[in-house]
């Protein structure tokens, strides 16, 4: 936006509304999953689908709006722009409507239709692009054309959230684990879309001097795990892209902080979807694809711990519900058309879960 100062009364009211919304919401659930084949090792799912907008990205959207407001980048007439594969934009549309602001999401044309419907439900507009790599430039252009503000989750995710506390996701996990038999997890496993969640968790672990290690599960067709192994790799070849929405990127995003990550595991798309389907059967409700990616990595770590005679707990994220993927990941015809052979992975994960 322009250099015009934001009215402090409006700004104060905007922050109050967002904080009041947070105060009305209980913390997300921590679901215990016993693993009969692995005595002494317990898996926990941090269920981020229970946020008002249904995903982990609700936390990020709230932080991004507060960060922009307190920097006076957003005022009462500001058009808010974001580049997103879906879930972040759903959550940001929710907060934009709360503040009475116009919101435009710049999104790949391949985004699942239920996500588009959810954005529109919250009053957001959608600007489609055929090439996902252009979302950044298009977002900057729209912000300039409208005199608006580009929230830019890929740059600000790692700094908008207070990683030292303020009930961030890491603080919440450790508080909820306090009464479990293994209160300090051996591992926390998450994915990376912007890199903001892994940066928050990794920094919090070090700040609080926990022995927990952080593993980031990454789609095979993502640059993050390649960059983790070799910092000179910063982008994928053109045409290389993951099918798992919300995580994995073709370029290394500014918010990705590899130095706070202990390990990365690359996961095939078919394995992510097979794990997602098996976990949905176990829980009796659908989960999203990125949760399947996390679970596949967890299974690998559990098997390694068991082989080494180790016990302990592992916490991972249930990132969003599966209803947004009914026409894609839960549509066998859609998967067959794209030659995603997921059934063997689902059978293996069913056996893992017992």
């Amino acid at each position: 936006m322009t250099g015009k100062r934001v009215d402090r009364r409006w700004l104060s009211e905007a922050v109050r509304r967002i904080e009041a919304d947070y105060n009305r919401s209980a913390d997300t659930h921590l679901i215990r999953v016993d693993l009969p084949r692995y005595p002494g090792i317990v898996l926990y799912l941090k269920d981020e689908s229970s946020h008002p907008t249904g995903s982990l990205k609700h936390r990020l959207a709230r932080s991004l709006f507060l960060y922009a407001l307190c920097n006076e980048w957003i005022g009462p007439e500001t058009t808010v722009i974001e580049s997103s594969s879906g879930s972040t934009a759903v959550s940001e549309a929710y907060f934009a409507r709360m503040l009475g602001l116009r919101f435009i999401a710049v999104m790949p044309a391949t985004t699942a239709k239920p996500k588009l419907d959810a954005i529109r439900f919250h009053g957001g507009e959608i600007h489609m692009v055929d090439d996902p790599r252009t979302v950044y430039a298009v977002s900057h252009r729209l912000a300039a054309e409208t005199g608006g503000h580009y929230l830019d989750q890929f740059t600000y995710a790692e700094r908008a959230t207070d990683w030292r506390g303020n009930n961030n996701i890491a603080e919440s996990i450790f508080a909820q684990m306090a009464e479990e038999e293994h209160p300090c997890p051996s591992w926390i496993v998450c994915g990376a879309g912007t890199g903001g969640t892994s940066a928050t968790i990794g920094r919090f672990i070090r700040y609080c001097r926990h022995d927990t290690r952080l593993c980031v599960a990454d789609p095979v067709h993502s640059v993050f795990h390649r960059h983790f192994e070799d910092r000179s790799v910063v982008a994928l070849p053109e045409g290389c892209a993951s099918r798992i929405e919300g995580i994995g990127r073709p370029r290394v995003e500014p918010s990705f902080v590899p130095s706070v990550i202990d390990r990365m595991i690359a996961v095939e798309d078919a394995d992510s979807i097979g794990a997602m389907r098996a976990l949905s059967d176990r829980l009796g409700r659908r989960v999203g694809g990125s949760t399947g990616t996390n679970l596949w990595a967890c299974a690998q770590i559990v098997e390694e711990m068991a082989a080494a005679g180790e016990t302990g707990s592992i916490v991972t994220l249930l990132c969003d519900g599966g209803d947004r993927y009914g026409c894609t990941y839960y549509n066998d015809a859609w998967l067959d058309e794209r030659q995603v052979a997921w059934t063997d992975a689902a059978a293996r994960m069913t056996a893992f879960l017992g």
Side-chain angles (χ1 to χ4, degrees):
M1 61 179 294
T2 65
K4 182 180 178 181
R5 297 303 302 269
V6 177
D7 180 86
R8 290 289 289 274
R9 288 172 298 179
W10 180 88
L11 183 62
S12 178
E13 174 61 14
V15 171
R16 185 201 65 77
R17 290 184 185 185
I18 292 175
E19 291 294 274
D21 177 78
Y22 165 74
N23 202 45
R24 291 192 296 269
S25 301
D27 200 358
T28 58
H29 307 300
L30 190 66
I31 301 170
R32 177 180 170 126
V33 180
D34 291 311
L35 304 173
R37 294 177 57 188
Y38 304 94
I41 303 175
V42 186
L43 176 65
Y44 296 85
L45 307 175
K46 179 68 167 162
D47 185 5
E48 295 294 286
S49 71
S50 57
H51 283 294
T53 54
S55 83
L56 167 67
K57 297 301 186 179
H58 192 86
R59 293 180 187 269
L60 173 59
R62 181 173 61 222
S63 294
L64 288 169
F65 266 89
L66 289 172
Y67 191 72
L69 285 166
C70 293
N71 282 309
E72 292 200 10
W73 296 341
I74 291 178
E77 305 299 326
T78 304
T79 297
V80 180
I81 317 290
E82 182 63 285
S83 51
S84 171
S85 63
S87 290
T88 302
V90 173
S91 299
E92 288 172 341
Y94 171 89
F95 286 108
R97 184 173 68 174
M98 181 185 298
L99 304 182
L101 302 175
R102 181 188 182 194
F103 176 75
I104 304 173
V106 180
M107 309 181 70
T110 55
T111 303
K113 183 178 180 297
K115 288 186 177 180
L116 308 181
D117 293 340
I119 293 166
R120 293 188 177 108
F121 173 80
H122 291 298
E125 303 170 32
I126 296 167
H127 185 102
M128 290 288 199
V129 296
D130 292 325
D131 182 355
R133 296 167 187 263
T134 66
V135 294
Y136 318 99
V138 172
S139 296
H140 281 293
R141 176 174 61 79
L142 288 175
E145 290 175 355
T146 61
H149 174 65
Y150 174 28
L151 285 169
D152 194 0
Q153 60 169 322
F154 299 108
T155 295
Y156 294 106
E158 58 89 10
R159 67 196 72 171
T161 299
D162 183 356
W163 50 268
R164 287 171 291 267
N166 195 24
N167 195 35
N168 66 45
I169 190 168
E171 185 177 48
S172 175
I173 287 170
F174 281 96
Q176 290 177 318
M177 286 293 295
E179 300 302 324
E180 302 298 321
E181 61 262 49
H182 304 289
C184 186
S186 299
W187 288 90
I188 294 177
V189 178
C190 68
T194 62
T197 298
S198 58
T200 297
I201 295 172
R203 288 166 173 164
F204 185 86
I205 287 170
R206 286 154 179 78
Y207 178 65
C208 295
R209 305 181 299 282
H210 293 306
D211 291 331
T212 303
R213 287 167 290 177
L214 174 63
C215 174
V216 171
D218 199 36
V220 164
H221 301 296
S222 167
V223 74
F224 289 137
H225 65 91
R226 293 171 169 84
H227 180 72
F228 182 75
E229 296 296 335
D230 180 354
R231 299 293 198 271
S232 69
V233 179
V234 296
L236 294 179
E238 188 171 351
C240 186
S242 167
R243 289 192 178 93
I244 307 303
E245 291 186 20
I247 58 172
R249 300 295 301 169
R251 73 169 198 181
V252 177
E253 303 296 349
S255 280
F256 181 68
V257 184
S259 58
V260 302
I261 298 167
D262 296 291
R263 178 181 183 181
M264 292 195 70
I265 294 177
V267 181
E268 295 283 355
D269 291 347
D271 293 338
S272 293
I273 292 170
M276 171 202 77
R277 300 279 287 253
L279 181 61
S280 296
D281 289 342
R282 171 67 180 269
L283 297 179
R285 62 186 177 95
R286 289 178 170 182
V287 302
S290 58
T291 302
T293 309
N294 292 341
L295 182 62
W296 192 266
C298 287
Q300 183 172 327
I301 293 173
V302 167
E303 289 168 356
E304 292 170 359
M305 289 176 63
E310 298 175 6
T311 60
S313 59
I314 298 176
V315 179
T316 192
L317 307 185
L318 196 167
C319 305
D320 62 357
D323 291 344
R324 295 173 178 176
Y325 309 100
C327 59
T328 54
Y329 305 150
Y330 289 95
N331 183 332
D332 291 352
W334 186 91
L335 294 171
D336 290 344
E337 183 180 337
R338 288 154 182 80
Q339 299 182 324
V340 180
W342 58 274
T343 54
D344 287 349
R348 178 177 168 184
M349 190 54 60
T350 298
F352 167 77
L353 292 170

